Amino acid sequence: MLQELFTPSVQHSLDLAGIFVFAISGALLAVRKNFDVFGIAVLAEVTALGGGLFRDLVIGIVPAAFTDLGYFLMPLVAAALIFFLHPQVERIQSGVNVFDAAGLGLFCVTGTTKAYEYGLSLTSSAVLGLATAVGGGVLRDVLANEVPSLLRWDRDLYAVPAIVGATMVVLCIRFDVLNAFTSGTAVITAFLLRLAAMRFNWRAPRAWNRRSSAAEEA
């Protein structure tokens, strides 16, 4: 099914692009945490490949990162870029965030489609689509000793756009209308939702009548 949506070369190029922008975000966090060159490379690899590795292990196939050298090398390219040029990249952080949103939209769709292709139910496929999109970021934050952004109320919506994109894909599968156009629409919808969340600071609600005295993180 995935091969029917995009040609192998197009799919490969899109994957590498998504991996690159996710790796940039991991490498930037490593620099902010004052990690050495090895730490920068590790955080870039984990952020870029973590979600896909988890998905592939769950569906029972050899992860693409271990069968295609490009998947492994692309995060190292991003890490090298950040190692030498992080001040310049920091100055265009808003642009990096746009590409990160595009990667989120792409991976939630391709992850969901691939999971269904390997026999998972619609619900399980959507869950793995979400994991593909956000799993690397969760691992990145854990390794950097931070509360994952995914769980923090003071961060703009991140998982919700991915959930919407994955849900659109499984609905298209359910009604047998999944094609290049509808999958592209799901990617763009998740992408635009993420951009809107960043632009308007949309956040998920906290507990009703919350009266916790715990200190709030900035």
Side-chain angles (χ1 to χ4, degrees):
M1 182 182 296
L2 194 58
Q3 291 78 8
E4 295 173 359
L5 299 178
F6 305 106
T7 64
S9 61
V10 170
Q11 178 62 43
H12 189 257
S13 298
L14 291 173
D15 282 347
L16 290 180
I19 285 170
F20 181 77
V21 294
F22 279 0
I24 288 289
S25 71
L28 282 174
L29 179 59
V31 170
R32 295 183 191 120
K33 288 287 187 175
N34 204 30
F35 287 6
D36 63 14
V37 62
F38 181 74
I40 294 171
V42 168
L43 225 58
E45 291 281 356
V46 166
T47 308
L49 303 176
L53 286 172
F54 176 77
R55 177 203 61 215
D56 289 348
L57 290 173
V58 169
I59 63 181
I61 63 173
V62 177
F66 293 99
T67 59
D68 187 323
L69 189 60
Y71 284 73
F72 178 77
L73 292 179
M74 186 58 75
L76 296 182
V77 172
L81 176 69
I82 296 302
F83 183 80
F84 290 106
L85 299 175
H86 62 88
Q88 291 84 350
V89 176
E90 288 277 13
R91 285 199 290 269
I92 58 169
Q93 182 64 55
S94 59
V96 173
N97 288 340
V98 171
F99 285 105
D100 182 83
L104 179 81
L106 173 67
F107 280 7
C108 73
V109 170
T110 58
T112 302
T113 307
K114 187 171 183 178
Y116 184 77
E117 185 180 46
Y118 279 85
L120 272 68
S121 69
L122 292 177
T123 300
S124 297
S125 296
V127 170
L128 276 189
L130 171 64
T132 304
V134 305
V138 171
L139 292 174
R140 173 200 65 206
D141 292 343
V142 169
L143 288 177
N145 198 31
E146 290 197 347
V147 176
S149 298
L150 191 70
L151 304 179
R152 294 184 58 170
W153 77 270
D154 58 341
R155 293 292 187 266
D156 302 331
L157 293 179
Y158 196 81
V160 171
I163 292 171
V164 171
T167 300
M168 290 177 66
V169 172
V170 296
L171 288 175
C172 288
I173 294 173
R174 172 65 179 82
F175 294 105
D176 197 26
V177 293
L178 186 67
N179 51 47
F181 175 76
T182 55
S183 62
T185 300
V187 171
I188 293 171
T189 300
F191 170 62
L192 292 178
L193 279 175
R194 173 58 182 157
L195 289 185
M198 292 189 292
R199 173 65 178 82
F200 299 107
N201 299 120
W202 290 347
R203 297 170 181 173
R206 289 184 286 175
W208 185 256
N209 276 341
R210 176 182 175 275
R211 289 185 170 83
S212 171
S213 59
E216 296 180 351
E217 279 193 72

